[in-house]
Every structure is written in structure tokens, then in C-alpha cells.
Amino acid sequence: MAEQRISIHGQWTNRTVFILAATGSAVGLGNIWKFPYITGENGGGTFVLVYLLCIALIGIPIMMAEIMLGRRGKQSPINTMLTLARGEGRNPGWVWLGWMGVLAGFLILSYYSVIAGWAMSYVFRISGGMFLGVTADGANRIFTDLVTDPERLLAWHTIFMVITMMVVARGVKQGLEKAVTYLMPALFALLIVIVIYAMTTGYFMEGLRFLFTPGTIDGKGILIAMGHAFFTLSLGMGAIMVYGSYLSDEHSITQASMLIALADTVVALLAGMAIFPIVFAYGLEPGAGPGLIFRTLPIAFGHMPGGTMVGVLFFTLLVFAAWTSAISLIEPAVAYLVENKGLSRIYASVWIGAFTWFVGLGTVLSFNLWKDKTLTIPYVFEDLTFFDTLDYLTANIMLPLGGLFIALFAGWVMRKESTSEEIDTHPIIFKIWRFLVRFITPVAVIVVFLKAVGAI
Ligand code: TRP
């Protein structure tokens, strides 16, 4: 039997709350902002296919592993890794995996908050009627005006960080439950409304063709698709692990993981089906980059009946979705400070928030004053701005690396008996899971890394 541990941070009231919280973490800007623009930049169909394969073969098994590790360790990822490695009689050096996750969480939140700020500012732009009858050029101009104004970006980034840290300071369980129960379904419904509008543009089939017809992809594209599978499911840095640590022992991990992954994938595909028909109908560039949804969706809101209301609601819900994700990026670090340094949640949140906010200034400037300051790391990436560098380093390198080691830990370091105690599903499902985390996931991550640097 596993030793009985209880989390000092409390527990989810029941399994549904855990699933909602984890779905809240998974569904966010990654689905609605990032998935469409990277799909556009990487040519569509094949990229989507690789992404879906990665969700199924890498994402779901690693999600199960993270929930399992968290629930067994019942502490912040740093202490969980330490406790579990010791419990298995292995090298406590595995603790670095927890630390890398904390670092990745900071770095991601620092830019995530800036993009969430864009969404906030769009709530007000749309409510003011700025997009009524707008042309593609007009929508482009409004976006450019926003991102070339560092002060405005800074203000929104600051507001988003403050509201995120407020929730984290109170403890993730309060507030999160309601937010996710009502707002998630509402976001889903609005996406469907926009997809229906997309059907009326006459370019719906073209959008679908772009999303689902295989074409070509290079090694970098494959890496970006895999990195995004980690990013969109919140895997590889301990966010789902820390949520798992608040889950009580009797619940099935397999079913929860599949539900979360399914919900997340459906939202991303709906976002793609909403956006690409509009892109083609208005002659826009699918590869327009991080501004893609901000340049396209407002055109739809400017032309559909009731568009102002739909648009305001949509961006409001997007901000909420970003918010429930942001919380999970910082929770591992806060939990650690509370456990090891005896800080109160409030104090820990303020410090971590301030630090993250500061790093975010680099992203604020990436779209204006530092637009031309780029970094190249030979073989890894070329000519990326501060924002692009952080995004690339975290999503395409740190998260897959974290996932690789989580899979190795769950598949090779932990004894089979320890894992089968936690993943108590049908023996066949357990066998499949174990095969995936022992062989498929690690090999896939390594092959994709090697392919991206051109080594194979
Ligand atoms: N999954 C979220 C999104 O798609 C972002 C996110 C939240 C995340 N927590 C994470 C990404 C942890 C990586 C790791 O918007």
C-alpha cells in the first residue's frame, strides 16, 4: 500500500471539480489564440494531424503520469519528485524536474499575461463599436495600433497579473469552481456561434480543407506541433501534477485524462473552424502570426447580426479561460514556497507575481521597441524576438523535456506495483499506458528533437 499522505493545501471537493479545474488549466489561449496561428504558420493539415497524434500518444499518457505522480506525492512538484524518488529508493536528484517546471511556469506566464492583456483590451474595443462594418485593413490597423503602444500593453499586462495573483493568493479552489462550471460551457457555445457565422462566409469548406488536408511539414513544424500538444494540455511542468496532488485517492485517472484531453481538443478544432474560413473570406494571411485571431475574429463581429454583443462576450470568456490557465502556471511555485519557506499564500503570490510581471516587460517590448532585437541559437532557432524566444524555449524545449523525464520516471524509475496502485483501471489499459510511457513517449520526443535540429 502507498503511504497515506495528505496535501497541506487542501483537496478538491470531488472528482468533477478536479476535472473542471484541469480543463480550466488546459483550455486557454493555447486553444484559441495559439493553435490557429501556429497551424496557419505551419501550413495546416499535416500540422493538425501531427498535433492530434501527439495528443493521443504522448499527451494522454503523460497527463495520466502527472496526475498519478501528483496524487501519490501530495505536494508541490518539487517536493513530490523528491518524496517519490526517495520512496522508490532512487536518486533524489529527480527534484530538478520540479525546478525546471517552476521555471517554465514563470516564463510561460510572463508572456501569457501580455497576450491575455490583448484579449482584455479587445473587450473594450469591441464594446465601443470600433469594428462595426470593419474591413480587413481596418482590423489590421486596430491590432497594430494596440501592439505598437507599449504603455497600453503594460497596463493590461499589469491588470492581468494582479487578478491572477489575487486568485492564487486565495487558494486555487475558491473561485475556480464556479468560473469553470459556467464559463467554459459558455465559451464553447460562443465558439459554435462563430463557427456558424463562418459557415455563412462561403469559405467554410476552404477553411476545413486547410485544417484537414495533409500537405507538407518540416522537422521544425513537427517539433512545434508536439510542443503545442504539451502546451495545450498544460503538461511537462507540473501544473497538472500539482492539481493531481489535490485529488483524493479513489478517483480514476484514466477517464479524467481522456475527458480533459477531449474537451481541450474540441475547443481547439472549433477555434480553427471559426477562424480559417474568415481568414480566406477576407483574403488574409493564414501565417499572420500571433495577431491572427485579433485580426480576423473582429471582422466577423463587425459583420454578423448582434456581433458587438457576441464579440464582447467572446473576448470576456477568452480572458476567463486565460485566467483559469494562468493560475495553474504559478501554483507549483506558490505551493513550494508555502511548503518549504513557510510563507503565507498571499506573500508567496505577491513575490512570484512581481517577478513574473517583470519578465513580462520583455514581451511587452517585443512587439514595438524591441521588435528588431532578435536572438539566434544555431540549430535550435533563428531570429526570434524576446517573446518568440520565450515561447520557443518553453513550449518546444522545456515542456517536451519535462514530459520526457516524467515518462521515464513513471515508466522506468517507479516500480510497476507503485504505478498500478494509482492507475487502477482495466489491466489492459494499464498495460497500454505503461507501454506508451516506457517506450513510445520517450522515443517520440527524442526523435522529434533530433529531427528538428536536422540530425536525422
Ligand atoms: N494549457 C494552457 C493553454 O492552452 C496554458 C497552460 C496553463 C500551460 N498551464 C500550463 C501550458 C502549464 C504549459 C504548462 O492556454
Side-chain angles (χ1 to χ4, degrees):
M1 268 310 283
E3 308 146 51
Q4 290 301 314
R5 269 184 284 268
I6 5 175
S7 166
I8 62 164
H9 311 281
Q11 263 188 15
W12 305 113
T13 335
N14 56 48
R15 189 181 83 124
T16 314
V17 178
F18 165 74
I19 293 181
L20 287 172
T23 309
S25 165
V27 175
L29 294 173
N31 306 62
I32 291 168
W33 158 74
K34 193 172 178 192
F35 171 72
Y37 96 74
I38 56 177
T39 299
E41 283 179 341
N42 290 285
T46 310
F47 180 86
V48 175
L49 190 68
V50 176
Y51 153 81
L52 291 174
L53 277 175
C54 290
I55 295 278
L57 295 179
I58 305 179
I60 294 176
I62 292 194
M63 181 173 293
M64 291 169 63
E66 270 204 41
I67 301 174
M68 171 193 81
L69 297 180
R71 191 171 73 172
R72 206 170 165 81
K74 294 268 186 336
Q75 300 155 75
S76 68
I78 294 174
N79 289 319
T80 286
M81 289 314 296
L82 197 62
T83 308
L84 294 185
R86 288 207 178 116
E88 301 288 332
R90 296 305 182 104
N91 189 337
W94 281 94
V95 70
W96 74 268
L97 192 53
W99 283 105
M100 187 177 73
V102 164
L103 179 66
F106 281 139
L107 297 179
I108 295 174
L109 183 57
S110 79
Y111 68 80
Y112 203 82
S113 165
V114 176
I115 312 295
W118 296 359
M120 287 197 193
S121 89
Y122 265 63
V123 172
F124 293 92
R125 273 147 207 267
I126 292 182
S127 69
M130 229 167 156
F131 291 96
L132 286 174
V134 77
T135 59
D137 276 348
N140 260 331
R141 203 167 331 108
I142 294 171
F143 177 73
T144 311
D145 282 347
L146 171 68
V147 295
T148 49
D149 184 346
E151 281 146 32
R152 205 168 307 171
L153 296 189
L154 178 65
W156 289 114
H157 165 53
T158 309
I159 295 173
F160 187 80
M161 277 311 302
V162 169
I163 63 167
T164 300
M165 298 332 288
M166 274 165 47
V167 178
V168 177
R170 292 186 54 199
V172 291
K173 285 171 293 299
Q174 271 99 27
L176 205 59
E177 190 168 340
K178 278 207 190 60
V180 196
T181 323
Y182 299 108
L183 300 176
M184 259 324 136
L187 178 65
F188 196 77
L190 272 188
L191 270 175
I192 300 210
V193 170
I194 308 174
V195 172
I196 293 173
Y197 171 80
M199 288 174 180
T200 67
T201 58
Y203 284 81
F204 192 64
M205 289 320 285
E206 196 164 328
L208 289 190
R209 223 173 292 131
F210 182 76
L211 276 173
F212 299 112
T213 314
T216 55
I217 194 165
D218 58 6
K220 278 264 149 60
I222 296 176
L223 176 64
I224 295 172
M226 179 181 76
H228 188 64
F230 283 95
F231 186 92
T232 194
L233 295 177
S234 305
L235 297 176
M237 54 78 54
I240 293 294
M241 202 187 291
V242 82
Y243 277 14
S245 75
Y246 308 148
L247 182 67
S248 65
D249 292 329
E250 66 272 14
H251 303 304
S252 156
I253 290 179
T254 315
Q255 213 188 20
S257 303
M258 297 213 187
L259 274 172
I260 298 163
L262 182 71
D264 188 82
T265 306
V266 171
V267 172
L269 293 179
L270 280 178
M273 289 193 255
I275 285 157
F276 286 106
I278 302 172
V279 168
F280 297 123
Y282 288 91
L284 298 159
E285 249 321 299
L292 186 67
I293 68 160
F294 296 93
R295 298 173 198 264
T296 51
L297 289 181
I299 305 180
F301 301 139
H303 290 90
M304 68 169 84
T308 301
M309 200 186 74
V310 175
V312 167
L313 264 175
F314 176 80
F315 278 106
T316 307
L317 292 169
L318 182 58
V319 171
F320 274 101
W323 194 28
T324 56
S325 300
I327 291 165
S328 70
L329 283 162
I330 211 74
E331 177 65 15
V334 171
Y336 170 76
L337 288 182
V338 172
E339 285 164 9
N340 285 41
K341 307 287 166 205
L343 298 189
S344 68
R345 282 195 74 94
I346 298 185
Y347 207 66
S349 309
V350 170
W351 277 107
I352 293 173
F355 178 73
T356 312
W357 174 84
F358 182 75
V359 179
L361 300 184
T363 293
V364 163
L365 296 174
S366 289
F367 296 95
N368 36 70
L369 302 178
W370 289 0
K371 202 162 80 193
D372 303 317
K373 290 198 195 312
T374 58
L375 185 72
T376 296
I377 298 185
Y379 299 105
V380 183
F381 56 73
E382 260 168 52
D383 270 342
L384 297 186
T385 61
F386 183 90
F387 155 73
D388 289 321
T389 304
L390 277 193
D391 177 47
Y392 201 93
L393 273 182
T394 52
N396 302 338
I397 298 171
M398 294 173 88
L399 299 181
L401 211 54
L404 168 65
F405 282 97
I406 287 169
L408 293 177
F409 189 86
W412 296 94
V413 173
M414 287 180 79
R415 277 164 294 136
K416 190 174 174 189
E417 301 73 55
S418 310
T419 49
S420 67
E421 261 170 34
E422 301 289 336
I423 306 204
D424 48 357
T425 36
H426 195 279
I428 306 252
I429 296 190
F430 178 75
K431 278 216 175 75
I432 298 176
W433 171 79
R434 198 165 140 86
F435 178 73
L436 290 171
V437 288
R438 280 165 75 92
F439 300 103
I440 303 300
T441 306
V443 171
V445 173
I446 292 169
V447 168
V448 174
F449 274 152
L450 292 177
K451 208 164 165 52
V453 297
I456 48 174

